[in-house]
Each structure stands twice: as structure tokens, then as C-alpha cells.
Amino acid sequence: MNNRIRALRAERGWTQADLAAQLDVSRQTVNALETGKYDPSLPLAFRIARLFGQTIEEIFDDGEGKG
């Protein structure tokens, strides 16, 4: 699943370790999320969205497009 996590993290000047600590996951999980190798659970997706102040849909793209 495509996502904007890397860009959002970079905008804030956070390392993968910084983001991992805030989400209570490993740095490897953040890396896997950013590279699209891992799709987050719904609770994790909500935590990510809340942290960045955006909706899940603004961060994650399932590739199905709109409409």
C-alpha cells in the first residue's frame, strides 16, 4: 500500500527511530511501512493519522483510486 509516511516524517525532521518511539513500534516496522512492505493494522493506522493530524485516507492510498 502506498503511503506518505516518509514525506510526513521528513517534513518534521524526525528519524525513523523518532517516529517508531512515538508510535511504540520498532524502527524496522517504520522502515517496512515506508517502503510498502508492511500494511499497518487499523489501530496503528489510526495512531499514525492522529500523530500527523491527518485522516487515514490522506496518508494511505490503497491504489483503487476514487470514484
Side-chain angles (χ1 to χ4, degrees), residues 33-44:
L33 286 165
E34 289 185 353
T35 58
K37 295 178 181 168
Y38 173 71
D39 290 340
S41 65
L42 194 53
L44 178 55

Side-chain angles (χ1 to χ4, degrees), residues 2-46:
N2 296 324
N3 66 70
R4 300 181 50 238
I5 295 172
R6 180 174 298 177
L8 292 167
R9 175 178 61 77
E11 286 172 8
R12 287 155 179 79
W14 296 342
T15 65
Q16 287 183 341
D18 294 334
L19 180 56
Q22 293 185 65
L23 295 173
D24 196 28
V25 299
S26 70
R27 187 203 54 79
Q28 291 84 354
T29 296
V30 170
N31 181 269
L33 286 165
E34 289 185 353
T35 58
K37 295 178 181 168
Y38 173 71
D39 290 340
S41 65
L42 194 53
L44 178 55
F46 274 109

